[in-house]
Amino acid sequence: MSGLTIHALDAGYRKHRVIHALDLPTLAPGSLLALVGANAAGKSTLLRTLAGLLPAQGGRATLGEANLLSLDALERRRLLGYLPQSLPSAASLYAWETVQAALRATRPGISRREADRLGEQLFERLGLQALAMQRMNVLSGGQRQMVGLAQLIVREPQLLLLDEPTSALDPRWQLELLGAVREMARSHGLIAVLALHDLNLALRFCDRVLVLGEGRVLAEGRPAEFMTPGVLRAAYGVEGRVETCSQGATVVYIDRACPNPSFGAIA
Ligand SMILES: Nc1ncnc2c1ncn2[C@@H]1O[C@H](COP(=O)(O)OP(=O)(O)OP(=O)(O)O)[C@@H](O)[C@H]1O
């Protein structure tokens, strides 16, 4: 497998174009890309389009040799894992059963013993052992988010598309989830694209960050390279500082909302 490339992608809903001629220089296997930007910037629309849930209106998106915009259902299930912003409560199945079902959907011939081994390994890696025998409809939003990720990871897709995967998680579980995704990317050559509102998590965990503004790329690059107060003003209409923390990571402090925001113009 080689990387994820997007070229001149247009996407949206019937006559409402949301994503305009979006380009993404090739993202290498093993990388995490954060999609950030204001509400309604188009993050979910872009993820849904890459996941094949929304037809593209133009352009290309490829994963290695595969054209992401015209995969059949089987190929899509084999290559992609998509975690939507809000998960259905998924009836009364046990968390363990949902992960086993996800595994069997892509590896129907897997032995019971191997499926159990992989399931146990994953629940342990994600620290979810206590949830295995709980029913999905009694889990909290954050617990469901973690089990949702387990359902995707167990299939070992090549591309993970995660829409605000940390939105319901407390700080410890945010680190667990992003750490697990990064580890999976490094060990399996997986690519992950994550819509995130927490800029500091994006800067800390992701190899590249793409800032969307009204469906266009406002800035893109490695965390330490492109984030400036001008980008914060243009993307979010806020005044902020970009500093390096004592551990060497780029961090953002938001000070106030701009009185007269000019979205989209990086000064
Ligand atoms: N099903 C839909 N039909 C028509 N327009 C939609 C639909 N879903 C989203 N939109 C519009 O597309 C635009 C982008 O929305 P999108 O959900 O992609 O933004 P987002 O960056 O993910 O926002 P947020 O951070 O608030 O989740 C918005 O103007 C929104 O109103």
Side-chain angles (χ1 to χ4, degrees):
M1 159 188 150
S2 50
L4 170 69
T5 307
I6 302 177
H7 178 65
L9 185 70
D10 291 326
Y13 307 86
R14 295 176 187 268
K15 289 185 181 157
H16 180 191
R17 169 107 12 121
V18 173
I19 300 294
H20 305 267
L22 187 134
D23 286 322
L24 174 73
T26 302
L27 191 64
S31 313
L32 271 62
L33 172 76
L35 283 182
V36 304
N39 291 129
K43 302 177 295 295
S44 298
T45 303
L46 176 57
L47 290 177
R48 278 189 221 126
T49 307
L50 296 177
L53 300 175
L54 202 57
Q57 297 176 339
R60 281 189 288 121
T62 53
L63 182 67
E65 299 295 305
N67 178 355
L68 285 181
L69 306 181
S70 64
L71 294 178
D72 64 34
L74 209 67
E75 270 183 311
R76 182 167 293 121
R77 205 164 54 197
R78 191 174 61 78
L79 290 177
L80 307 185
Y82 168 70
L83 190 69
Q85 210 165 348
S86 53
L87 292 166
S89 62
S92 58
L93 288 176
Y94 292 108
W96 172 262
E97 289 175 324
T98 66
V99 172
Q100 289 290 317
L103 178 57
R104 286 179 194 288
T106 37
R107 294 178 58 184
I110 191 169
S111 69
R112 170 82 190 266
R113 192 176 156 146
E114 179 64 358
D116 282 351
R117 190 185 68 79
L118 290 174
E120 279 164 20
Q121 202 176 50
L122 184 60
F123 272 76
E124 191 181 326
R125 165 62 192 88
L126 296 176
L128 299 178
Q129 299 97 317
L131 302 185
M133 287 305 151
Q134 296 219 28
R135 293 187 189 277
M136 291 298 285
N137 56 3
V138 303
L139 297 184
S140 74
Q143 289 172 328
R144 234 177 2 244
Q145 224 163 14
M146 288 299 294
V147 176
L149 179 75
Q151 291 166 12
L152 298 186
I153 284 186
V154 79
R155 298 201 273 108
E156 297 189 1
Q158 294 182 16
L159 176 62
L160 269 184
L161 302 166
L162 308 178
D163 200 347
E164 297 188 31
T166 55
S167 60
L169 299 178
D170 68 38
R172 175 167 172 262
W173 284 104
Q174 292 175 2
L175 299 183
E176 287 284 352
L177 182 139
L178 292 172
V181 172
R182 189 166 61 183
E183 185 186 300
M184 181 84 185
R186 302 292 190 253
S187 61
H188 289 69
L190 165 93
I191 294 172
V193 182
L194 310 92
L196 292 170
H197 272 302
D198 187 321
L199 285 176
N200 287 322
L201 285 178
L203 294 168
R204 174 167 168 187
F205 278 93
C206 295
D207 304 286
R208 302 231 311 254
V209 180
L210 190 156
V211 187
L212 269 182
E214 297 179 346
R216 293 186 163 82
V217 178
L218 283 180
E220 195 272 332
R222 294 183 187 283
E225 288 169 0
F226 77 96
M227 185 52 85
T228 62
V231 170
L232 295 174
R233 273 194 296 274
Y236 296 102
V238 295
E239 296 291 348
R241 288 162 289 142
V242 181
E243 299 185 359
T244 304
C245 80
S246 57
Q247 296 189 356
T250 304
V251 288
V252 162
Y253 298 96
I254 305 298
D255 293 321
R256 67 188 76 81
C258 299
N260 302 302
S262 56
F263 293 99
I266 299 178

